[in-house]
Amino acid sequence: MSSTAPASHSPPISLRAQAYESFQQQIVDANIRPGQFVSQRELMQLLGMPLGAVRELIPRLEAEGLLKTVPQRGLQVAHVDLKLINNAFQLRRLLEREAASRFVTTVSDADLAAIEQAHLSIVKRARKKAIDASLLKDATAVDWGLHDLMIDALGNELISEVYRINSLRVRLIKLEGSTLSPDVLIPAMEEHLWFIEALKRRDAPAVIERLSHHIESAHRRVLGLPRPDMPWSLENLE
């Protein structure tokens, strides 16, 4: 009599977790705006989730500062103000500097080559034709993908969770101010490639300096301030 091992299955994701993931995606897709008021039923329709899951989701979003209940008005998505902007970028800087100091010693040459190529591919597409929504979406994925990869490489789930929540705040801030639009796409990729060049040389001080420059550049952009000068350009790679 033969027997077969039972198939392994990933544990099902709870409806509340699905609702949270959907909420995150709505921010990424700019379907949820900072300061926006929504009812529970509107949120249910937007997330494509049952009312029970949405009601369970709300306390988590309130605890994370992404949503608040306003008497007589309903639910309000986090409003962007100067305090939120400065706090979110300060937290981002602290977490990413720690992550980068570890990443520079652990990331493989092969992974760095693939990361660099992904950025160069975005730049090539941007130079070849008009920058459209599809390219902006791909560029944003490449941009945030590098930051997420560094954070996750720490192997600390608590830090990754705090970073993901703060990333949602930063995305809301960028919706209110300046996001990865056509006029900033190539400069943003240029800053990343400058940072990647230091990673490839395993130059930890330069990695931290260039990462800090990139984050400060994003911070200034949402404040409507000029981008800081950078003593490097894509021509260095050509």
Side-chain angles (χ1 to χ4, degrees):
M1 179 177 179
S2 63
S3 62
T4 57
S8 60
H9 298 283
S10 300
I13 301 176
S14 69
L15 286 177
R16 182 173 64 176
Q18 291 179 48
Y20 186 77
E21 289 180 359
S22 181
F23 185 87
Q24 291 179 305
Q25 191 60 46
Q26 296 306 316
I27 290 178
V28 171
D29 294 342
N31 294 326
I32 292 179
R33 311 290 301 188
Q36 176 184 349
F37 281 93
V38 292
S39 68
Q40 287 188 11
R41 292 204 173 273
E42 287 171 336
L43 196 56
M44 176 186 72
Q45 294 172 355
L46 186 62
L47 303 183
M49 300 299 298
L51 187 56
V54 170
R55 285 175 172 165
E56 290 184 7
L57 171 67
I58 290 171
R60 177 178 180 178
L61 296 177
E62 289 181 319
E64 294 177 355
L66 297 170
L67 199 69
K68 70 176 180 178
T69 300
V70 179
Q72 312 300 323
R73 298 289 303 276
L75 303 169
Q76 185 180 29
V77 179
H79 176 68
V80 172
D81 57 18
L82 184 60
K83 181 179 180 181
L84 175 63
I85 292 171
N86 290 337
N87 287 351
F89 274 95
Q90 181 181 31
L91 179 56
R92 180 183 177 187
R93 188 176 297 108
L94 288 171
L95 294 177
E96 290 197 33
R97 283 170 63 95
E98 173 66 20
S101 67
R102 179 78 62 85
F103 193 67
V104 68
T105 65
T106 59
V107 64
S108 70
D109 290 342
D111 284 344
L112 281 177
I115 291 167
E116 182 180 53
Q117 187 55 49
H119 284 74
L120 290 173
S121 177
I122 293 295
V123 172
K124 183 178 180 180
R125 288 170 60 189
R127 287 176 167 176
K128 188 174 181 180
K129 62 178 184 178
I131 298 175
D132 56 16
S134 175
L135 177 54
L136 286 174
K137 182 177 180 180
D138 291 345
T140 299
V142 168
D143 185 331
W144 283 92
L146 175 55
H147 295 282
D148 289 344
L149 180 63
M150 287 195 303
I151 290 292
D152 290 342
L154 287 170
N156 187 317
E157 293 179 357
L158 294 177
I159 291 178
S160 290
E161 179 66 16
V162 169
Y163 182 80
R164 291 297 190 279
I165 295 168
N166 196 59
S167 290
L168 291 177
R169 298 190 189 103
V170 172
R171 286 175 185 268
L172 282 172
I173 289 167
K174 289 187 174 185
L175 289 177
E176 183 74 2
S178 176
T179 187
L180 194 57
S181 54
D183 60 320
V184 300
L185 186 152
I186 288 182
M189 291 294 105
E190 190 173 56
E191 289 170 0
H192 267 220
L193 286 162
W194 187 42
F195 169 64
I196 292 167
E197 191 273 334
L199 283 171
K200 290 170 63 178
R201 291 190 289 105
R202 310 294 175 173
D203 186 341
V207 164
I208 298 302
E209 176 188 359
R210 294 176 185 187
L211 174 67
S212 298
H213 181 284
H214 175 58
I215 295 173
E216 177 61 19
S217 179
H219 190 179
R220 287 193 182 192
R221 194 162 65 242
V222 300
L223 292 174
L225 300 175
R227 175 174 173 250
D229 293 334
M230 187 176 70
W232 192 89
S233 71
L234 286 168
E235 281 65 34
N236 292 71
L237 295 176
E238 297 174 351

